[in-house]
Amino acid sequence: MPLSTTNVATSAVFQAVNCRRSYSKVTAPAPTRAELLPLVAAAARVADHGALRPWRLLELRGEARERLGSAFVAASGCEGGEAIKLAGKPLRAPLLIAVVAVRRVSDKVADWEQDASAAGVAHLLTLLLDDAGWGAMWRTGPLARTAAVRAVHDLADNEELLGWLYVGGIPVDCKPGVRLSIDPAEFLEVL
């Protein structure tokens, strides 16, 4: 029997989703690979028509983040102070998790649906990271689809980079997340 509306509002899943926020700044500790593996296993429960698992994740730590910064600079063509600032962007978190959509050949599952599954993994992973006490923010931008950035991630022709989860500790002085409430009736229509 489904939960009543009252019970749903007090469920742990509802609270996790309702309180979700992005952390634009994180601190130096980051989850280890061993800590990430069960979270990735849980995120793999995302809706996945055809059970294609049309995604993969890449950990970028240490020098890998510097290579990504260099690829940003190469792709942008900027120089001087602007290049230094751009090269430093991947260093804003101790761990970046690249989210890659892997488009499998399928007569039943379109590319867009496979991309949606990969995006779902990323979103579930942000919720799981938050539940485990980590701060995360999904970042992307025009440089994600450039040749230099694709090369750093060693992407195959059937793969697209959807962005990175920037992951680290939650700063002690972090202000509460602010998100404007919506009127759900404006977004839930009836045909």
Side-chain angles (χ1 to χ4, degrees):
M1 179 174 195
L3 292 174
S4 70
T5 305
T6 304
N7 290 338
V8 167
T10 61
S11 80
V13 173
F14 180 87
Q15 290 302 318
V17 172
N18 197 42
C19 295
R20 190 210 71 79
R21 63 160 295 181
S22 294
Y23 291 89
S24 60
K25 293 183 181 181
V26 293
T27 60
T32 64
R33 181 174 181 78
E35 291 170 319
L36 284 176
L37 290 173
L39 303 181
V40 171
R45 300 290 305 208
V46 71
D48 179 7
H49 183 199
L52 297 177
R53 294 197 174 96
W55 53 271
R56 67 185 178 106
L57 305 170
L58 301 168
E59 291 178 68
L60 287 83
R61 299 177 191 267
E63 189 265 331
R65 296 172 306 137
E66 293 173 12
R67 287 196 321 265
L68 178 57
S70 295
F72 282 173
V73 172
S76 72
C78 64
E79 298 176 345
E82 188 178 347
I84 292 168
K85 182 177 178 183
L86 190 57
K89 286 192 174 196
L91 305 177
R92 294 186 288 189
L95 169 64
L96 277 60
I97 302 173
V99 180
V100 180
V102 182
R103 295 174 178 159
R104 313 268 187 219
V105 175
S106 174
D107 294 332
K108 295 181 179 181
V109 186
D111 287 350
W112 71 263
E113 190 174 351
Q114 295 182 46
D115 292 354
S117 184
V121 166
H123 184 63
L124 283 178
L125 192 52
T126 63
L127 289 171
L128 291 162
L129 286 161
D130 183 75
D131 188 55
W134 299 104
M137 182 169 193
W138 188 348
R139 296 182 184 269
T140 189
L143 295 175
R145 299 286 170 99
T146 62
V149 172
R150 287 182 61 83
V152 166
H153 293 82
D154 195 27
L155 298 183
D157 290 343
N158 67 322
E159 295 180 325
E160 289 294 341
L161 179 63
L162 300 184
W164 305 267
L165 302 182
Y166 280 55
V167 183
I170 298 172
V172 181
D173 61 348
C174 187
K175 296 177 183 171
V178 177
R179 178 145 316 201
L180 296 176
S181 296
I182 65 160
D183 177 357
E186 290 181 25
F187 295 89
L188 180 60
E189 300 177 12
V190 177
L191 288 181

